Amino acid sequence: MPDASGSAIAMSRPGLFSRFADDQTERRYSERARTLRLPFVRLYGVIFMVVALAYSIVNPIFLASVDNAQLAIMLGLALLTCGAYIGTTFWDGYVRHAVIDFIALLALSILVGRINVLLMEHLASLNQGLHVIGVINKLIIVAFAAVTLAGMPRSFLIWLACDFLIWFAQITSGQPQLSAVVYAALSFSSGALIMAAINLAVGRTSRAAFQLADSLDAERARNEELVLNMLPPAAVDRIRSGLLVADSYADASVIFIDMVGFSTLAKRVSPGHLVEMLNGFFNHADACARQFGVEKVKTVGDAYLAIAGGNVASGNSADAAIAFARAVIAGVPEMGRSAGVEVGLRAGIHSGPVVGGVIGETRMAYDYWGDTVNIAARLDGTAPANGIAISEITWLRARDRTGFDKPVTINLKGVGDVDVYIAQPPLAGKLDDAA
């Protein structure tokens, strides 16, 4: 997510050593995987410290003072290193820096290797050939690294190679018998190979799981965007809570904008051309709505219905509605050039109370009702080409009344006589006003 950002992820199955093609996706995967492994890392660190303390308690019972002092120093360093490592995991930037794991685990492995050498020397002095203890102790660290560095197989193999070389140098420093070295190397190598397989398996499955989860997150984000494109956020929250969505707004301004001569135009151009023109008109109106804080309600045929003072706060609703209508109509020349034919728009605005809400359970949309909506639709039909017709209520509510002519009384169907103020911009064309 995309992230809910919506970033694309290739849906092919990840290979053993593959990375996501997009660096940002690879980084998000690494940080998420390391975050999920944090409890394991801390738990292992605590277990390691408990075991180290147990060795510190047991060693004085069986070892001479000199040997015990050397082991005490190594165990103390191991405890400090592990404690610092655990502390680092609580740093906010820990998940962004995988090198912390690499260095800390290698340091712990070196210290454990040195502790093992001292223990094996003690056992050798007792004629006890228990080199397997050292191998097991080393493989415990390797197992931790295999899981901690899962998803980063190259880093793990480099770490494993460094660990093996340091460990091999430690066990051969005392000129042991060749057979002992061979068997110890075979024991360590066989265990290390198993741990490498575990590292690859965990890494591959975690990448696949991340890929699936990220795809689901991206799809969920797209669905959320679609829902919020149709419904206000507050309405979505109420619907999810099972509540009825019904609101009243006492001071809203409703805007109807449609294309002049649409019926005639539909007969002149192809269906594809007509859809392209409408799409250009609606996209331009959407951009203007965002600019002036006006809420798009819906489109009906060639008409665009919007409202100021509804779910979207817009200050003076009349001023916002008029500014929005002027901005939409100002785009007529560009729409005409893009369409290749003469285009005209007209707008009607009326202010007053409205009721808004969501009705039904399928294809839901937030709609508005009331006389204010009906009157705005009627006023739209009285506006000239590329002009705006507003009611007296809107004119009185507005602070910017420039560009409007003196009122004319017009009889609106189903409404009666209404004083209408008309603004005819300079770009008005000679289009036929027939709908």
Side-chain angles (χ1 to χ4, degrees), residues 224-272:
E224 186 76 8
E225 184 178 357
L226 287 173
V227 170
L228 294 177
N229 192 41
M230 296 184 294
L231 300 170
V236 173
D237 293 338
R238 280 182 283 173
I239 291 171
R240 287 173 176 167
S241 301
L243 301 176
L244 177 68
V245 180
D247 306 295
S248 63
Y249 303 91
D251 184 23
S253 294
V254 179
I255 313 105
F256 262 94
I257 304 179
D258 70 349
M259 299 186 75
V260 178
F262 181 75
S263 300
T264 303
L265 189 62
K267 297 175 183 178
R268 294 173 53 203
V269 301
S270 67

